[in-house]
Each structure stands twice: as C-alpha cells, then as structure tokens.
Amino acid sequence: MDNIKSLYKSFFIGNFYEELSCCEEPQIFVGEEYIILTVELQNQSDYRYSQKIWLNKKDFVPYKLNILDRNGEVNTEIFYEKFKYNIILDEDF
C-alpha cells in the first residue's frame, strides 16, 4: 500500500470527472456510438496536458481514456473492460 501514493491519479476515471468539474470549457463531441469529452488538466506539464474520454452513448460506460501531451499526441491510453459502477464491495475488500 505504500506505492499507492506514487500512482498517477489521472489514470483513474474518478479523476477525469474531477477535472471535468473544474474545466470551464470542455470540448464535447457526440458521435454515432460515443460521446467524447476533452478537458485540459489543472496541473499541466508538457507530457500531461489534457485528457480525452470516450463514453458509450447507450449507458455512459467509459470505453477508453487518453492522456495527451502539449502537442495533442497520446501519451497514455487506458481501455476499460468489464467496467461496473456503484458496485457493493465485500467487507473483506
């Protein structure tokens, strides 16, 4: 558990929604299958400048999240598989 402090929190879906709530002008694109949201990060660097997420239009389940550098190139790409939200965890978790 000591290493959890070193994890980059932008890898997590909850952080995207935190960034979205602070973003004054998110970019929104509605495609045939996905809604794509792009936000600029609060703590920007040359390598982590913005985030883009693809949400399924049918149920708003995330498909993937990209972290982009200052030039708009993909730095990190995360795919969500078997994503479940609002699940109840066992007490042993």
Side-chain angles (χ1 to χ4, degrees):
M1 292 301 289
D2 293 334
N3 291 335
I4 197 133
K5 293 178 185 176
S6 67
L7 286 175
Y8 189 66
K9 67 181 185 174
S10 288
F11 294 160
F12 299 98
I13 190 76
N15 183 259
F16 179 86
Y17 292 113
E18 182 180 321
E19 294 286 349
L20 179 62
S21 70
C22 296
C23 182
E24 291 183 22
E25 296 184 34
Q27 295 176 10
I28 302 170
F29 173 79
V30 180
E32 192 171 314
E33 190 174 350
Y34 298 104
I35 298 169
I36 304 168
L37 304 169
T38 305
V39 298
E40 291 187 4
L41 297 173
Q42 294 179 63
N43 298 318
Q44 296 174 330
S45 72
D46 287 340
Y47 302 104
R48 302 193 190 288
Y49 189 79
S50 63
Q51 287 182 318
K52 184 182 284 193
I53 192 166
W54 282 252
L55 300 172
N56 188 304
K57 280 178 60 174
K58 182 175 59 176
D59 53 13
F60 297 102
V61 170
Y63 167 64
K64 73 175 177 178
L65 177 123
N66 285 349
I67 299 173
L68 304 140
D69 66 15
R70 188 172 299 277
N71 298 318
E73 298 293 324
V74 175
N75 179 298
T76 305
E77 189 166 58
I78 299 166
F79 288 91
Y80 298 95
E81 295 179 1
K82 300 177 186 176
F83 184 87
K84 295 180 183 180
Y85 50 90
N86 292 334
I87 61 170
I88 298 172
L89 299 175
D90 294 336
E91 289 181 25
D92 294 337
F93 185 75

